[in-house]
Amino acid sequence: MYILCHLSHYLLKPYSQPRITSDTFVGLVIGNIGFIRGVLSQSSKHILRYLVEFGMIGYMLVLGIEMDPYVLLKLPTKDAKVAYVGMLSTFILACGITPFLHYTESFKIDFTLSLSMVLSSTASPVLTRIITSLKIGKSDIGQLVIATGMHSDFIATLLLSIGFVIWPVEDADKKSSLHRSLEMGIALLITAVFTAFVSPIFMNWVNNENPEGKPMKGSHLVLSMAFMAFAVACPSYFGYSSILSAFMAGIFLPREGRVSKWVIGKINYLLSTIYYPIFFFWMGYEAYFAEFQPLDWMTWARLFVVFAIATVGKVLGTVISGALLGFNWPESVALGLLLTTKGHFHIYLAIAAKSYGKTSTSTSTVMVIAIFFTVVHAPSVVAQIIKRARRRAPTHRMSLQLLDPSSELRILLCLHGPQNVRTAINFIELCRGTADPGVVVFVTDMIELTDQIAATLVKEQGVNTMTVTEKAVTDMRAQVTAAIQSYVEEDDNGITLGRLLALSTFNGMPQDICVLAEDSTVALIILPFHKTQSADGTLDGGHSGFRFVNRKVLKNAPCSIGILVDRGFGMIEKISRSYDHSIDMAVIFIGGKDDREALAYAGLVARHPGVKLTILRFLVDTTTNASSRPGHYPVSRALQEEEMKFDDECFAKFYERHVACGQVAYMEKHLANSSETYNTLMALDGQYSLIIVGRGERVNTVLTFGMNDWQQCPELGPIGDVLAGSEFSVRTSVLIIQQNSVKGELDGLDDDFSVM
């Protein structure tokens, strides 16, 4: 189960599906395989049930801790109003329709009310994970969805918890139902009051005794866990559900503080790594397809109706509340569709209804399938929200050519890890220029968000940000910060350092980087090449995840992008600011907007006294007829002439500013075709420490025609691919620069966009 759940989730990643969809599918399949069902003995079934209930206790405890019960004492906020109207409309529809579908053998008021409340609720943990993973958590609609989902989840689960007191699932043999309800109600009330008043005092004392940064005392940790266990266990001693008791105890425990964060992190990690595979196997085992009744039309009617009620009820409620609150109706519909999301607790209730004899196996299976369909559409809804936001939001893009000489150069410098630190330091040194205006560098760690790291994320109080507590990540970031800070402190003249983090899955990391770049208003993003240099000097096979990130950023970035192929650039001990100890660098100029951007960057680097820069201009040999060959110009002649005019103007300015005064050396290469271009590039082997080149976007393709046919890395462009290839130098690093693509719509959307 563990392997298959992770494999199926990996296969569904391109479709942005949350883990619960793949886990549900795998659980239904594996749990219904005959020989696997035959292996389980009766005792094994009981053990499996106990494991599931124990894990659900942890799940509900965390859910309760993240809720705020005192919100009921405040005036309803916008999200509360949307939650109430959506729940009420769904509840009324469910109460009016479900009794006619005979989900139970006979009409039972307790089951009807419980089912109606379940359909009215929202799985806030699942919904929050979907919203944050799809990068709309900071937008107005994302924040509204998360807050409304949590409010719906809290109210529905609270009412279910109270309903269990009024209508216990199992009646005791010797005690009347009323007597048992009184016992449970009194025990629950006393425990809730005790927890609400005592837990803040006790937990604050533990937190004060164990400040952040110091190991927590074992005795205090044991006492804290014992207190939580006591709060959970007391009501269940009198017959109350231990799962609902965990929720009731959790809502009165403090949400903030070191102990609560520790509990949330540890339980979430346990759930994601161990519990969920067990839970979904149990679900599939209990939802036995052999007892499913596909030939009975009522089975499909129940499936359609329960899904339709959950969807129509929520959408109707959000459209009504949206009209009253002044929302756009498409966003109101999207809000309702997202709030239909159900999750693990709802699946547990669907199976538990069968286990307690309330429904048949076929009906419980129908409910599980309906829950699956309430989740699977969420990524498509979010995609439509982003699409509408892109059409509304104007795009603001930056490039090096547009940079005001009196303005500071702002760079987003990305790293894979400590192995890139020396290269980053040398790159910062190249870009620093003069003290006025100077350079602002945002050193950004690119870290893949794994399940282990996700389980350790802690939400900061009062802000919509998460803190990483995983030791390996924090240690790595501290090591990078210390190394770069040490360099800056040696001579911080003209350098302003910032630290950022792109923590996401590889699917979401490109948008994270684009958002960071736009928020920081940088003119240039530098990404490490996905291949690294081996001990023998050659480049390895590379990391497919980072290659995906590079390609997506190249497509969507709001500014210019550079990909740095490191072949010993970080091994240069220190780039001196003295003219006596310089490094040799070259920039290749053929033509096109990317080459013009590379020339603009070379102009910034040329100001460094320790750099000996040469510009190599590749021109078409006019003595041959190569320039007039058909098929080499996929664009109109007018556009060719316009681009060539831009090239000449840009080069003339560069020549006047840097070459004429002797600051930069200049060489011309007259070439007839791409074969001569290739040979000229190969002849540069080992002559320079760094070569700067534009990625592509050239209208005059004579000198690169046909080079695309054998490209290993098309994202580098024809020239960059040759220079980064295995046949080229083992000592020359390459910087491939692409100017941002000006389009009418945003490709990477700012994460705090507004559509409401």
Side-chain angles (χ1 to χ4, degrees), residues 434-633:
T434 58
D436 185 20
V439 61
V440 180
V441 181
F442 297 94
V443 179
T444 305
D445 299 301
M446 301 167 64
I447 300 176
E448 182 188 10
L449 179 62
T450 62
D451 291 336
Q452 181 176 352
I453 296 176
T456 64
L457 296 178
V458 176
K459 190 176 186 299
E460 289 295 321
Q461 183 177 4
V463 293
N464 194 23
T465 57
M466 308 292 283
T467 299
V468 184
T469 58
E470 173 70 20
K471 189 174 187 301
V473 176
T474 55
D475 289 350
M476 184 274 288
R477 297 202 73 211
Q479 181 182 349
V480 172
T481 302
I484 297 180
Q485 192 65 47
S486 175
Y487 154 73
V488 173
E489 288 174 356
E490 288 181 12
D491 182 8
D492 62 353
N493 192 21
I495 300 177
T496 303
L497 180 65
R499 291 287 278 127
L500 296 174
L501 173 63
L503 176 64
S504 179
T505 61
F506 285 124
N507 277 336
M509 193 176 293
Q511 186 174 339
D512 271 3
I513 292 173
C514 292
V515 167
L516 290 174
E518 194 149 12
D519 287 346
S520 306
T521 60
V522 300
L524 180 64
I525 300 172
I526 297 296
L527 299 169
F529 191 42
H530 69 279
K531 298 181 180 182
T532 55
Q533 193 172 30
S534 305
D536 60 357
T538 59
L539 298 177
D540 60 17
H543 193 294
S544 59
F546 286 124
R547 183 181 187 185
F548 171 84
V549 172
N550 290 356
R551 297 175 77 164
K552 286 293 184 180
V553 173
L554 283 167
K555 180 180 178 182
N556 300 325
C559 62
S560 296
I561 314 101
I563 294 182
L564 182 58
V565 181
D566 184 12
R567 291 196 187 98
F569 190 67
M571 300 303 294
I572 302 172
E573 289 189 7
K574 185 177 181 181
I575 299 177
S576 173
R577 296 190 66 80
S578 169
Y579 291 99
D580 299 330
H581 301 85
S582 59
I583 64 168
D584 291 319
M585 294 173 53
V587 55
I588 296 175
F589 186 84
I590 299 176
K593 68 185 187 71
D594 290 346
D595 278 13
R596 295 195 294 269
E597 192 73 359
L599 202 62
Y601 175 74
L604 298 172
V605 172
R607 298 180 301 184
H608 195 290
V611 171
K612 183 180 179 182
L613 181 65
T614 301
I615 179 169
L616 304 174
R617 189 174 190 186
F618 290 5
L619 297 169
V620 178
D621 189 351
T622 56
T623 61
T624 68
N625 61 352
S627 60
S628 60
R629 290 173 188 167
H632 291 178
Y633 301 102

Side-chain angles (χ1 to χ4, degrees), residues 539 565 567 588 678 680-682 684-685 691-693 707 716-730 732-736:
L539 298 177
V565 181
R567 291 196 187 98
I588 296 175
Y678 178 82
T680 303
L681 293 174
M682 298 304 292
L684 301 177
D685 188 347
I691 297 178
I692 305 167
V693 63
M707 294 176 71
L716 302 182
I719 303 298
D721 183 71
V722 171
L723 297 177
S726 56
E727 297 179 0
F728 194 64
S729 172
V730 298
T732 301
S733 300
V734 187
L735 178 63
I736 299 97

Side-chain angles (χ1 to χ4, degrees), residues 308-381:
I309 290 173
T311 305
V312 174
K314 285 290 186 184
V315 171
L316 181 63
T318 54
V319 169
I320 293 173
S321 60
L324 297 174
L325 295 171
F327 298 161
N328 299 313
W329 73 264
E331 277 67 43
S332 297
V333 172
L335 182 60
L337 291 173
L338 290 173
L339 290 175
T340 62
T341 302
K342 304 295 184 285
H344 304 83
F345 180 55
H346 304 93
I347 293 175
Y348 173 82
L349 292 177
I351 301 299
K354 171 241 181 182
S355 301
Y356 288 120
K358 299 290 183 180
T359 62
S360 64
T361 301
S362 182
T363 301
S364 288
T365 305
V366 160
M367 293 180 182
V368 171
I369 296 172
I371 290 169
F372 173 83
F373 283 113
T374 63
V375 180
V376 75
H377 68 271
S380 300
V381 176

Side-chain angles (χ1 to χ4, degrees), residues 590-593 596 617 620 626-649 697-702:
I590 299 176
K593 68 185 187 71
R596 295 195 294 269
R617 189 174 190 186
V620 178
S627 60
S628 60
R629 290 173 188 167
H632 291 178
Y633 301 102
V635 295
S636 67
R637 188 70 183 179
L639 181 57
Q640 294 175 33
E641 293 176 352
E642 183 182 8
E643 281 293 306
M644 292 174 66
K645 179 182 177 183
F646 288 151
D647 292 340
D648 291 339
E649 290 176 354
E697 296 293 336
R698 304 178 181 94
V699 296
N700 186 350
T701 59
V702 173

Side-chain angles (χ1 to χ4, degrees), residues 257-271:
R258 191 176 181 187
V259 174
S260 296
K261 292 178 181 178
W262 184 88
V263 169
I264 291 172
K266 293 298 182 183
I267 292 180
N268 279 336
Y269 180 66
L270 181 70
L271 292 175

